[in-house]
Structure formats: structure tokens, C-alpha cells
Amino acid sequence: MTIRHHPKDSLRLAYVAGQMDPATALIMATHLSLCAQCRAAAADDECIGGALLEGAEPMPLRSDALARVMARLGAPEAIHRTEPSADGTPAPLRAFLGHELSCVRWRRLGPRLGYVTLYRRGSLAMRLLRGAPGTEVGQHTHRGAEYTVVLRGGYSDESGNYGPGDFQIASADLTHNPVADVGEDCINLAVTDGGLQFRSRVQNVVASLFGF
Amino acid sequence: MQHAFSFARARQRSRRPPAGQLPVRLMGSQDQASSPERLVAMLRRVAAFQDRQAFQELFAHFAPRIKAYLVRGGTASQQAEDLAQEAMLAVWRKAAQFDSNRASAATWIFTIARNLRIDMHRRERHPRFDPADPFFMPDSPDPADSALQTRQREHQLRKAIQALPPDQFRIVMLSFFSEKPHSQIAAELDIPLGTVKSRIRLAMMRLKTLLGDES
């Protein structure tokens, strides 16, 4: 799998540092599952965290802290192994869904588009999106940032072509019309902050009806 | 002699622009007891034999650092104390999961403390990616090689972090230790959000250059 589009350093750093909302964290974790290059970079980021922890000026604990902890030492945990996925669903996504990608029950949005909303908090929404080959989403812009990671198939827009594992950052100033590549269905995980703004008024009405 | 970062000093400076000096101070020569190799050996003893003495040594080294990490990030002292104890309990329970091919003891314990801090703040389950997912191809086929490589890389990274210009160092430190998002860090330092992001980017580029990989 050749991945050409990656999240920015600052986004990866925020993930590693643990300062991310759960939706953006899931999309980052999903990309990391698919991208060896970003995994290596994230390992380096964690190493920075380790170096900073090591260098922290120690702050004494209460005098009875060690005794309290020693009194609570119990049995060690068995090593947890992630079960391999039957259909290649990235482990963090599978853990979130509670099942494989192939068991998703899609809601229809027209004859060629499907979606499931996985998470919603304030203006933030996370969805799985599925488009039949050649499907056009329609020219739209974003009220806030939109992050997309491709799980199956691929799509193209004004900014380039995105295949499995690719991570697209669409900022509020990007107007695009993603078109699913020919071949297989395109399945994406997307996090949007603030929703979409379509050029077509009909699409805007439909989008708002469906909560996009 | 080893340099160590002083958070107390960095915090004092965080309100004012840097005086052109690195916020580091000399901690004196590090004692034998807390060398990275020794800490790995102690973790292995905890994993293999539930060795309480080895655990005490890890506790003495890491618990006060975890507390400092949490307090520095804005956690109240009492809560930081409790979380540091919980983190050390997790170190005891999870020691068998530690893989020295992948990380140093400090890096692994950083991730434990970070995860506990996330869990403290969120009721919702937080998605995490499992570096031991069998789905991934191993990065290096020879474990002996990768343990050595990990050590060397961590050593290089530490040196590279210490060589960062003070403003970049502070941003990197704040992005790791503060619980606040970048926008709040920007407000606190009284610099635009774009500057925070560009300093992070510059710092990461510089670290990559210092590590000798531009890829």
C-alpha cells in the first residue's frame, strides 16, 4: 500500500501527546494502523515524550505513596493480543464499531451513496461514507476542517487522488467535488467540524435533512 | 554529565520571551541506578518475576517524574499524586507488555501516564492504536538489531531535543505536557495560533534534520 497523503506533524503530535477529541483521535489511530511511515514518526514523537518525562524535574510524592502502591500490587495482566481482522478493518476502527467494516449497516443517501454517523459532539461529526464507483459527492466547501482517511477504493478531487490509507486534510477554504474512483466502492472515515456547504441548493437541503 | 530539562524554569519563562538560553539545567551526573539500560532491566525483572525490589527502583525513578509531568500540564497536585500512583500500578500490571525493541522505559511509561491522563478527562472511551497489532509488518526482522536501534535513536532524539532553539523547545514541551489545545497555548504565550503551528513544524523539521532523516 503506497500512502501519499499524511496528517501534518502538528496533528500527529497532538494525537501522541493525548490532546485530541475522540473523533479526530480515531481517524488518526486508523491512519496510523495503515501507514508505517506515520507509525515510525509517532514512535519518534512518543520518544520525545519519554525524553521530556525523563528530563522532568522530579516532584516528590507523599511519604506514604510507595507503601500505598506496594500494598495494592496484584496479579500482572495477561498480554493482550489484538485479534486479526477478517476483512482488514483497522483495529482502532473495529474496536470503536464493535464489529468489522463488512458488517456496517449503511443508511442510504440516494442510490449510490451510503453513510453511518459514528459520533457527534457540538459541531464535530464523524461518519463512515460509502460511494459506488464513479459517484460524485457534489461541489462543496467546509465550514471548518475536514479530515478523511480512505479505507477501501479511492477518490479524486481538485487536490489529487486518494487511495487506501491516504489522509486528506480539507481546510475551510478548499472547495472540492470528490469523485469515487472506478473499480470498487470507495469507503472513507471522515471527521468534519462544522458541516458541509454545497454549491447546489438542492444538495444543501438534502445535506441538512441528513444532518451533514 | 547529563542535561535535564527544568520545567519549573521553563514555566517561569513561558510568560516572557526567552532570553536566548535553553531552558535546561545541569542535574549532576546521573547515578548508575537510573541509566536507561538499568531501567529496562528493572522492568524486565518486574515482568518476569514480579520483582518488588525492581519495582521500588522504578517507582523511585518514575513516580516523581510522572507527577511533575502531570502538574506541569495543569493537573491539580492531589490528582497528579493519585494518577502517578495509578500509573505505577499500571506499570506493575502491564510490565509484560513492555517491548524494549520498540521503546525505552521512559517512553513506554510516558504513554501509560498519558493514557491515564486522557481517561481521567474523558468519560467516553478514547480510541487508541495498538502498536502490537499483528496486522502491522515488523519494522525490523531482527529483534536484537531493533533494540539497539531503538536505544540509539532515543539517545539521538534526546540530544536533538536539547539542541532545539528555546522557543521551539518550549512549544514542543507545551504540546506534550499541557492539557490544553494549541489554540490555548497560543493565547497563553500571547502569540498567534499560526506561530504555534509553524514553530511545531520547524521544531519537528529540525529534529528530523538532527536525526539525519529527511524522509
Side-chain angles (χ1 to χ4, degrees):
Chain A
M1 191 181 302
T2 325
I3 295 175
R4 288 159 301 163
H5 305 278
H6 305 273
K8 287 181 192 160
D9 284 347
S10 60
L11 203 60
R12 198 191 58 241
L13 208 61
Y15 170 81
V16 168
Q19 296 144 338
M20 226 172 218
D21 62 89
T24 315
L26 179 64
I27 202 167
M28 276 299 301
T30 301
H31 175 75
L32 286 173
S33 296
L34 299 167
C35 179
Q37 188 184 322
C38 287
R39 275 206 299 283
D44 276 353
D45 296 341
E46 288 187 341
C47 179
I48 297 172
L52 292 172
L53 178 69
E54 186 62 43
E57 197 172 327
M59 221 173 182
L61 274 76
R62 281 198 311 261
S63 55
D64 62 344
L66 176 63
R68 289 165 73 115
V69 170
M70 293 305 286
R72 290 175 61 200
L73 295 184
E77 257 174 42
I79 295 185
H80 163 81
R81 293 253 181 263
T82 307
E83 287 293 311
S85 161
D87 66 355
T89 308
L93 177 62
R94 188 181 48 166
F96 190 91
L97 294 172
H99 52 73
E100 310 276 352
L101 204 49
S102 46
C103 301
V104 168
R105 301 169 90 168
W106 298 95
R107 295 187 65 181
R108 303 228 65 94
L109 189 66
R112 300 173 65 78
L113 274 171
Y115 78 100
V116 200
T117 302
L118 301 179
Y119 178 93
R120 200 184 262 286
R121 283 288 176 286
S123 59
L124 209 65
M126 174 165 64
R127 297 183 187 89
L128 279 169
L129 301 162
R130 177 179 197 146
T135 307
E136 284 190 39
V137 173
Q139 196 72 238
H140 66 271
T141 181
H142 312 89
R143 296 196 181 90
E146 176 184 65
Y147 303 125
T148 306
V149 69
V150 181
L151 303 169
R152 300 274 159 79
Y155 67 92
S156 301
D157 70 2
E158 289 76 349
S159 67
N161 178 258
Y162 300 84
D166 275 331
F167 190 102
Q168 183 179 24
I169 302 167
S171 51
D173 52 14
L174 175 78
T175 303
H176 67 163
N177 177 20
V179 181
D181 292 348
V182 291
E184 59 176 322
D185 279 9
C186 174
I187 300 181
N188 298 330
L189 177 66
V191 175
T192 51
D193 188 4
L196 310 184
Q197 186 89 52
F198 285 90
R199 184 159 288 177
S200 142
R201 272 162 67 188
V202 175
Q203 272 191 311
N204 265 334
V205 172
V206 174
S208 65
L209 279 177
F210 283 88
F212 277 75
Chain B
M1 293 283 260
Q2 287 255 339
H3 290 275
F5 313 119
S6 161
F7 296 141
R9 193 112 53 102
R11 177 192 263 164
Q12 282 165 16
R13 284 185 188 169
S14 68
R15 296 188 182 279
R16 277 178 286 127
Q21 257 179 299
L22 257 173
V24 298
R25 64 173 204 144
L26 296 171
M27 291 274 284
S29 59
Q30 223 169 14
D31 53 343
Q32 187 65 39
S34 57
S35 77
E37 290 77 14
R38 170 104 185 155
L39 293 166
V40 166
M42 294 302 106
L43 263 178
R44 289 218 177 105
R45 273 163 58 176
V46 170
F49 315 114
Q50 284 98 58
D51 183 331
R52 289 175 165 247
Q53 219 172 339
F55 178 76
Q56 288 188 23
E57 195 173 321
L58 290 169
F59 187 98
H61 184 82
F62 283 114
R65 286 176 166 83
I66 298 169
K67 185 175 174 183
Y69 153 66
L70 295 164
V71 168
R72 181 67 192 87
T75 307
S77 175
Q78 180 59 50
Q79 213 167 14
E81 169 91 26
D82 293 345
L83 268 185
Q85 293 185 24
E86 291 304 320
M88 291 312 297
L89 276 167
V91 166
W92 172 266
R93 282 199 313 272
K94 295 174 191 286
Q97 293 171 29
F98 170 69
D99 179 356
S100 61
N101 296 331
R102 211 170 265 138
S104 69
T107 296
W108 184 66
I109 291 173
F110 160 73
T111 63
I112 286 183
R114 172 201 63 191
N115 291 352
L116 279 173
R117 191 179 71 176
I118 295 174
D119 293 344
M120 174 183 75
H121 285 290
R122 298 194 182 279
R123 299 231 176 103
E124 308 142 303
R125 209 153 49 91
H126 203 74
R128 240 162 239 149
F129 119 94
D130 172 14
D133 190 330
F135 182 67
F136 307 147
M137 294 292 151
D139 296 330
S140 162
D142 185 350
D145 268 9
S146 50
L148 182 66
Q149 278 169 10
T150 299
R151 264 212 307 283
Q152 285 171 346
R153 193 156 181 87
E154 294 222 350
H155 180 70
Q156 284 176 316
L157 254 173
R158 277 176 205 204
K159 286 206 318 208
I161 295 166
Q162 287 171 334
L164 281 178
D167 55 344
Q168 289 175 19
F169 172 82
R170 195 164 44 255
I171 287 288
V172 169
M173 196 188 69
L174 279 174
S175 10
F176 268 90
F177 285 81
S178 168
E179 290 163 1
K180 295 163 191 154
H182 292 159
S183 54
Q184 277 185 41
I185 294 176
E188 217 168 79
L189 295 180
D190 200 19
I191 53 176
L193 178 59
T195 309
V196 171
K197 289 190 172 170
S198 68
R199 278 189 196 162
I200 289 174
R201 196 170 46 81
L202 284 172
M204 299 309 281
M205 270 166 53
R206 204 181 157 87
L207 287 178
K208 281 180 200 168
T209 313
L210 291 169
L211 281 170
D213 54 51
E214 290 288 340
S215 58

